[in-house]
Amino acid sequence: MIKITEDTSYIRFLKDTDENFSEIHNRISEVYKLLQSLYMTDRSYTLRFKKLFGSKDDVELYCITYDDYQLLNEVLNNTIDMLNEAGVANLVTHDEFKHIYLEIPKQLELNKTYIEIFNKDWQAVDDFINELDTSLFIYKEEK
């Protein structure tokens, strides 16, 4: 996942955030396809993250950001529930997968606090995806 710094421009921030959401979309979609092919679930999930870059005004941008983070939180936790129901163990922690709680941004001002929250949230997402890749590696080899 792309991290931001205090000298990241606002336009670069929007593009990087869109790229992070796009990467998550691709990786979670692959997980669902794999688990469906192994008959571990019949669920499917259609992610519809909206693009931040190109938003018309700050109010629209805030609403899209808020909605995207809520959807991301929901998708990750639904994926975790699905993995736990299927009996897939987290091979990194040797336990079941734990829910993720993202701190949904309450503002869009690129100040130090927002940057810390943003990077902490995306690090949690990245950690989960890495644990997921490690845990599903054996299933990918069976296919």
Side-chain angles (χ1 to χ4, degrees), residues 100-115:
I100 293 172
Y101 299 98
L102 301 177
E103 189 174 342
I104 298 172
K106 306 211 181 353
Q107 66 192 30
L108 283 176
E109 181 184 354
L110 284 180
N111 60 27
K112 186 176 179 176
T113 302
Y114 184 84
I115 291 169

Side-chain angles (χ1 to χ4, degrees), residues 19-36:
E19 195 169 318
N20 282 349
F21 278 116
S22 180
E23 181 179 341
I24 284 299
H25 172 271
N26 294 337
R27 292 174 85 180
I28 292 294
S29 294
E30 288 175 21
V31 168
Y32 274 84
K33 286 178 191 169
L34 174 65
L35 294 180
Q36 285 172 335

